[in-house]
Each structure stands twice: as structure tokens, then as C-alpha cells.
Amino acid sequence: MYRALTVAREYESGGDRIAALLAERLGWKLIDGALIDEIAQLGHVEPQLVRKFDERVDSWVHRVSRRALTYGAFDGVAVLPETAIFDAETMALLARAAIEHAWETGKCVIVGRGGQCILQERPDVFHLFLYAPSAGRVENQLVDEQRARYVQLNFGQEWRNPHLYDLMIDSQLGEERAVATILAGMGCLT
């Protein structure tokens, strides 16, 4: 039925733990931290550098400068090949490739990084959004704002748009109830 599950999550929703439980119950591979290592290999960089740009957006000045260098907008400036720069944009491109590869392999739970947008047109992917209880959300808004900007800039989508997801669930239910609800939504009786 489904070959992949994408999990978008608000900060402090417990999304990483719920995704791990889902992967365990389904007997699928969890694509989260392992994605960092795969992107590092694809980009020929160290994993620490990948973590620095994970689900981030480059500054406006950096994006404009990169375009100018890449497309030769300034006279006398050598055009750098796109792969010569590892930044948030390169990270997003490599994440897309890694997520598409994970989907091709199948049986995987993909956490964050715009997976819900990258695989939106695939009918064999279930898309999940986990939101955190409203209490204490003020402190956590920065991370969520970064994730929303990442999705907006790289995919032209609103991160919390309900039309991107098959199920949006409040993690306040608790991990076990949330996992059971998600599996039921997927049509899995495990």
C-alpha cells in the first residue's frame, strides 16, 4: 500500500521519537540522522558541515551573492561551479536526491527536510504533520520559523498547509496513542 511515510514536526512535538516508533512498528528504515551521513557523502563534505545547514535557509545576501557568482553577473569574477559551494541551498538539493532515493528503495520513514513536498505527487506516500501542545510554544517558535522558511524557500509551500498532509495530529495524545492513530490512518493493523 504505502512505501514511505514523511513526518513533518513542530519543535518539541516528540516527532523524532514518534517517527522512530513508527519505523520500528512498520519494520521500516528511519531516515533522519542517517540522512546527514548520506548527504555528507553526496556532497563530499564532513557531517558537521551538513548539520550546520540542515533545514536552514541561507541569508538573502548569501543567496544574491551566490547567484551573482554562479551566473557571472559581475565582470571579472570567475564563475564557480555549483558544487564548489556547500551551503543551505546545496544541502536542500542533496536532501532532495537522498529523499527521492529513499522513496525508490521504499519502506522508510522520512523525517523533515521537505519530504512532504518532494514526494507530494507520489500516491504511495503517507504524509504526517505532528504539532506540539500549545503550552510552552513561545520558546520553540524560532526552530519552527526556520523550518517554515526552509519549506517556503525550497518548495514554495506553506509548512503548516493541511493540504500537504494526510494526517495532522497533536502529539499531546502521547507517543503510544499517536502511533496507534497514525498506523490506523495508514490502514496498518500492526
Side-chain angles (χ1 to χ4, degrees):
M1 182 172 178
Y2 291 108
R3 67 183 299 130
L5 164 65
T6 67
V7 180
R9 73 278 184 234
E10 286 184 338
Y11 190 69
E12 295 295 324
S13 67
D16 297 342
R17 291 186 310 277
I18 290 171
L21 284 170
L22 286 163
E24 180 182 314
R25 301 271 167 81
L26 291 165
W28 290 4
K29 183 177 180 182
L30 180 64
I31 308 294
D32 191 4
L35 194 65
I36 298 294
D37 294 329
E38 185 172 347
I39 292 168
Q41 275 187 325
L42 290 170
H44 307 289
V45 296
E46 293 297 319
Q48 302 88 301
L49 183 60
V50 175
R51 281 186 202 90
K52 176 182 174 186
F53 293 108
D54 192 21
E55 291 187 293
R56 299 287 195 284
V57 174
D58 293 318
S59 71
W60 178 82
V61 172
H62 177 85
R63 291 192 313 267
V64 169
S65 299
R66 182 175 195 209
R67 295 284 181 263
L69 289 173
T70 302
Y71 298 109
F74 298 117
D75 291 334
V77 176
V79 177
L80 296 174
E82 275 192 307
T83 55
I85 301 171
F86 192 92
D87 55 10
E89 184 177 339
T90 303
M91 169 70 187
L93 291 171
L94 293 174
R96 174 185 288 271
I99 288 169
E100 288 172 344
H101 179 259
W103 170 80
E104 288 170 3
T105 303
K107 294 189 176 186
C108 57
V109 176
I110 301 164
V111 180
R113 296 155 187 100
Q116 74 277 17
C117 299
I118 295 165
L119 302 175
Q120 187 62 48
E121 300 302 318
R122 310 278 188 196
D124 55 359
V125 179
F126 191 88
H127 303 287
L128 170 67
F129 187 91
L130 290 163
Y131 56 94
S134 57
R137 293 285 311 135
V138 174
E139 309 89 54
N140 305 323
Q141 285 180 353
L142 181 60
V143 174
D144 290 342
E145 286 172 12
Q146 287 174 343
R147 289 177 178 164
R149 285 186 59 221
Y150 176 85
V151 169
Q152 179 64 48
L153 182 69
N154 290 295
F155 308 106
Q157 297 287 334
E158 294 298 322
W159 182 55
R160 290 184 175 99
N161 178 355
H163 299 288
L164 290 176
Y165 305 100
D166 298 299
L167 180 64
M168 296 179 85
I169 190 167
D170 186 344
S171 64
Q172 189 170 356
L173 286 173
E175 291 177 6
E176 288 301 321
R177 285 183 58 205
V179 167
T181 302
I182 295 159
L183 292 174
M186 291 178 71
C188 300
L189 301 175
T190 57

